[in-house]
Amino acid sequence: MARVLLARNFFLWICLCLLLLVHVHVGTCFYLPGVAPEDFHKGDLLRVKVNKLSSTKTQLPYSYYSLPYCHPDHIVDSAENLGEVLRGDRIENSPYVFKMREPQMCNIVCRLTLDEKTAKEFKEKIDDEYRVNMILDNLPLVVPLRRPDQESSLVYLHGFLVGLKGQYAGNKDEKHFIHNHLTFVVKYHRDPVTEMSRIVGFEVKPFSVKHEYEGEWDNSTRLTTCDPHAKKIVSGSEPPQEVEDKKEIIFTYDVEFQESNVKWASRWDSYLLMADDQIHWFSIINSLMIVLFLSGMVAMIMLRTLYRDISKYNQLETQEEAQEESGWKLVHGDVFRPPSHSDLLCVYVGTGVQFLGMILVTMIFAALGFLSPSNRGGLMTAMLLLWVLMGLCGGYSSVRLYKMFKGTEWKRIALRTAFTFPAIAFAIFFVLNALIWGQRSSGAVPFGTMFALVFLWFGISVPLVFLGGHFGYKKPLAEDPVKTNKIARQIPEQPWYMNSVFSILIGGILPFGAVFIELFFILTSIWLHQFYYIFGFLFIVFLILIVTCAEITIVLCYFQLCSEDYLWWWRSYLTSGSSALYLFLYATFYFFTKLDITKPISGVLYFGYMLLLSYGFFVVTGTIGFYSCFWFIRLIYSSVKID
């Protein structure tokens, strides 16, 4: 009874800590961004928020006010969750203020005179193709563009470019021009009964305009290039605003309101249907069908061959026939012999179980819509918290396998499970974060968030791993189907195609083939700053990956045992885990063919994070292969008569 109360109190303490961490940057009320709609009357204030400056060329985000843009009297940071901070989001208020359904023309935000330093900062951001991100009613600002091949189809680009490079007619010198005039388009859906409106779209058309005025500048100055009294609007035919030392820049904006038939619940549909051609969907479905067909063929061959072997072995009657047995039955006395470095295997298997639990629960919640793109940072926050909670399963699995190897120091194994993978990942993350911090990027994780991550690790994950290890060690084990001989059997010389390195490398091809097309979309969403939203389809791909890893490992393990090689423990883990090598090679191919990264620091960040992703993929696929082979071996050796 006391133990039950202790476990219950411990669980309540864990839940309390998680709630505190989730709301560490939030107020006193519980609210999921993007879930509750907000209604506006005509004339209600609409406050635009600014987010980070982002670039696909550098992958280094910066806060909006790192450039000398116009700012309000007091800059106020919005509350960001853990995932938003890790993504580099820095959401702040802006001087752009609208009134619902009240169009505005040529509002002057501020006037700025560049010096050498500020001109250089703007030029650097223009060279690196930085985009300005803004938010209105939790909707990101987008620039609509028509596809050249489909006039009726629109592509939405996140944010607008800081500026452009170009040349004057008859001049070969390249100049930098800044987008200093913004034409905002706010789309709304109006309720015909209540006359209240909900925002369903937030678009912008950026212009570079060299504004002109007469006389001296003061608060009442009227522009000649953009005048609401004369109904003169910016059309794009005006001379552009050049970025140079001592140049004067006037920032202005227009606001248009367009009524839309799109309802609030469907307002994200146009954002999510970004640049996917139908041929991508056909190629993905085709790939999945091929993988399913191959998996079915492999499973059918395996079942028929194995059934014939078991029937033959069970029909042996005479001693002479028993002595002539060969193949996988011959190594029954060594197949459950503990492998070398068994402690490390237990640690990696436990870590893989922790990953699998996190991935499965995350995908289920994402497929149900709880982790939609409207909830910025929600996906990363959920993954971190679920990783922490799944430490219970990781500790249980690693210690239970360790007990099967007749180990007694379960606390040491639990400790290694709690620290091995997180320590390696945290070390890589810390080095990369130091590099980002050296670039003064907003992507650098601040000290407070770093402390929260360490607390999640030491304060919650480590105790849960130990608690799971305690339960795993206390639970009795099932006996092995066969007894292990005291003296190890000599392994005969293997043919070249059963060489361990060759077999392991071959085994990783099929699992990688199951996911490599989906991997393209995932990498595009991460490194080209696009939304990833097809979680239901991703869940199906993940299930196919599990089946593929299991089947290819079982097949190669069966061939290995038929060759009288009983050292299957590590090979079963590495066979499907080797798909991580192909993932990293594909990431390298993607870097050189799809990305336009030129800065060395950005390349280090890319390969550092992709190394972490590949490492996690290795642990997940390796664990799937190990448990599949473990289940298969226990099944076949419990199905035959062993004298």
Side-chain angles (χ1 to χ4, degrees), residues 313 322 325-337 480-487 489 561 564-566 568 633 636-638 640-643:
Y313 287 143
E325 67 182 24
S326 60
W328 57 268
K329 188 182 177 185
L330 194 61
V331 295
H332 65 82
D334 298 280
V335 75
F336 288 103
R337 187 180 304 281
D480 293 334
V482 291
K483 294 182 180 180
T484 302
N485 296 333
K486 293 182 179 180
I487 302 176
R489 181 185 182 86
L561 294 177
E564 301 178 15
D565 183 357
Y566 53 84
W568 63 273
I633 287 178
I636 64 173
Y637 282 101
S638 61
V640 296
K641 300 174 183 177
I642 304 294
D643 296 328

Side-chain angles (χ1 to χ4, degrees), residues 334-366:
D334 298 280
V335 75
F336 288 103
R337 187 180 304 281
S340 58
H341 307 292
S342 58
D343 292 2
L344 187 61
L345 179 63
C346 296
V347 169
Y348 272 98
V349 168
T351 304
V353 170
Q354 190 173 356
F355 258 114
L356 279 170
M358 177 200 72
I359 293 172
L360 286 173
V361 177
T362 301
M363 285 189 180
I364 291 173
F365 275 96

Side-chain angles (χ1 to χ4, degrees), residues 176-188:
H176 295 78
F177 304 103
I178 188 173
H179 285 139
N180 60 323
H181 179 84
L182 304 175
T183 299
F184 293 106
V185 178
V186 179
K187 296 184 178 181
Y188 65 94

